[in-house]
Amino acid sequence: MTAETEEKKVTKAKSKKTEKADKKEPTLEERMQRLEEVVDALGRPGTDLGDALKLYKEGVTLADGCLAELEGVEKELQILEAEADSVSLSDDN
């Protein structure tokens, strides 16, 4: 393999990493906002059945993602509370 070919592969790999970095995950707030938009769209009369199905699927995906993130935060808070309690108990001795 020539140095030029190797350089092209490296450049292509870096380009893919940059693309992934540019596509940042939406925040919880952004996902919740989009979920509200989806719910509003589903509530509008005259929404085409095919569009409604796509919106419903998107809504389920958004709701699952929000729930997973909130559960993760809840677990982190429980760990922090437990650590704080153990520090507090050891300080009392």
Side-chain angles (χ1 to χ4, degrees), residues 33-45:
Q33 175 64 41
R34 177 61 188 148
L35 184 55
E36 287 181 30
E37 293 169 2
V38 167
V39 169
D40 289 343
L42 285 169
R44 283 188 216 115

Side-chain angles (χ1 to χ4, degrees), residues 27-29 31 65-81:
T27 65
L28 175 64
E29 292 79 11
R31 287 194 309 262
C66 290
L67 181 61
E69 184 169 346
L70 289 171
E71 287 174 343
V73 169
E74 183 179 30
K75 286 179 184 176
E76 287 182 50
L77 288 172
Q78 290 171 346
I79 291 168
L80 291 172
E81 286 177 350

Side-chain angles (χ1 to χ4, degrees), residues 47-55:
T47 302
D48 176 50
L49 183 59
D51 292 339
L53 182 58
K54 288 177 188 174
L55 287 167

Side-chain angles (χ1 to χ4, degrees), residues 6 20-21 23 32 35 57 62 66-67 70 74 85 87:
E6 186 64 32
K20 287 181 183 178
K23 295 179 185 178
M32 290 180 74
L35 184 55
K57 287 179 181 180
L62 288 165
C66 290
L67 181 61
L70 289 171
E74 183 179 30
D85 287 346
V87 169

